[in-house]
Each structure stands twice: as structure tokens, then as C-alpha cells.
Amino acid sequence: TETMSVADPVLDTRGLLCPYPYIQARQALESLPHGSRLEILTDSEPTAMSSIPILCEQTASTFTRARDEEIWRLVVTKP
């Protein structure tokens, strides 16, 4: 089989309030194969600081988090 380099999928949840970013992120992660990464964009501090970290804990995923002015960028790696 041929493997291609594919950019990480991006889930843009800007403008959405909890629990919607959590629900969308969970669904997106479930649809990805193990070892995949999902980039999540949010302008909600509770999403960045609480909801997504909780999701990662529940799914044994890891994540990085960075803030650029009003936008949080989280990259979640599915185990």
C-alpha cells in the first residue's frame, strides 16, 4: 500500500461554547486511526484549559496547547 503524508485535520470550534467543542472533538478523535493528531482551534478559555484536557485524560490522548492572542491552538495525539 502507498502511504501519503496528510496534514493533520483541523477542528475549528471558534465561537462555540461548552459542551459543543468537547462533543465535536470527541467525535473527531473517534473517527481517526490510532497515532493520529487533531488540531483544535478555540476562542474559549474553558475549552482550552478544561474541556479538551479532560477529554485527553478520558481517552489517554496527549496534547499541546498554545495561545496566539484570542485563539487557542491545541494539538491532540490519539494513542
Side-chain angles (χ1 to χ4, degrees), residues 24-76:
Q24 289 184 3
R26 183 172 198 93
Q27 290 173 340
L29 278 175
E30 287 173 355
S31 71
L32 295 174
H34 294 286
S36 296
R37 297 188 324 170
L38 172 66
E39 183 175 335
I40 302 166
L41 304 177
T42 183
D43 53 6
S44 165
E45 188 166 344
T47 296
M49 300 304 289
S50 180
S51 297
I52 301 305
I54 288 169
L55 173 62
C56 290
E57 187 176 304
Q58 292 172 339
T59 61
S61 300
T62 57
F63 72 97
T64 60
R65 175 175 49 212
R67 186 175 184 179
D68 182 15
E69 294 184 18
E70 300 301 314
I71 303 301
W72 293 90
R73 180 181 311 270
L74 296 97
V75 178
V76 177

